[in-house]
Amino acid sequence: QVQLVESGGGLVQAGDSLKLSCAASGGTFTMYAMSWFRQAPGKEREFVGGISRLAVNRYYADSVKGRFTISRDDAKNTVYLQMNSLKPEDTASYYCAAILRYNHAAPTARDQYDYWGQGTQVTVSS
């Protein structure tokens, strides 16, 4: 059983940066593809970015490409989401997700993920 704990959310102004962290425990971190999703009020949870095992591949939603960067530190069992040039439409709860993978892919569909964190709120004011 994998436990995921997100941190780093907060209230920022448009154009600012934030770095989210997700600490994993209870599994062999290097065997998991990791992703970030977000959910705004009244909207479905959507894919933001994903990173495969060993960081071989990274994937991003079009809405964040060029502004957000996903990374992982396998020595610390942690995945990060660096968010730059934040916009008010980035306001949401951000969730970390994990799935056991034997290849170097990270799914973008939320129903493929087995483990989820509790979320961290990001609010971007205009």
Side-chain angles (χ1 to χ4, degrees), residues 55-126:
V56 172
N57 293 302
R58 304 171 201 240
Y59 309 83
Y60 297 98
D62 288 342
S63 58
V64 307
K65 205 170 291 183
R67 298 188 298 124
F68 290 11
T69 302
I70 189 169
S71 61
R72 64 188 295 160
D73 185 338
D74 289 345
K76 295 182 178 180
N77 289 0
T78 300
V79 63
Y80 304 97
L81 185 68
Q82 176 67 48
M83 305 185 294
N84 298 330
S85 303
L86 282 162
K87 304 176 181 180
E89 50 264 43
D90 294 320
T91 295
S93 292
Y94 283 72
Y95 298 88
C96 175
I99 182 170
L100 184 67
R101 270 290 182 261
Y102 294 97
N103 59 17
H104 295 297
T108 61
R110 65 179 185 270
D111 59 2
Q112 295 197 40
Y113 285 83
D114 296 321
Y115 304 101
W116 293 86
Q118 81 291 347
T120 186
Q121 178 66 34
V122 173
T123 303
V124 184
S125 63
S126 57

Side-chain angles (χ1 to χ4, degrees), residues 7-81:
S7 61
L11 172 62
V12 297
Q13 293 187 332
D16 285 352
S17 297
L18 270 180
K19 187 173 185 177
L20 305 183
S21 299
C22 172
S25 61
T28 303
F29 187 69
T30 54
M31 292 300 297
Y32 288 84
M34 305 295 296
S35 286
W36 288 94
F37 289 76
R38 67 185 181 187
Q39 187 168 18
K43 294 188 176 182
E44 293 190 351
R45 192 170 297 189
E46 65 175 3
F47 173 80
V48 175
I51 188 166
S52 70
R53 293 177 53 217
L54 304 178
V56 172
N57 293 302
R58 304 171 201 240
Y59 309 83
Y60 297 98
D62 288 342
S63 58
V64 307
K65 205 170 291 183
R67 298 188 298 124
F68 290 11
T69 302
I70 189 169
S71 61
R72 64 188 295 160
D73 185 338
D74 289 345
K76 295 182 178 180
N77 289 0
T78 300
V79 63
Y80 304 97
L81 185 68

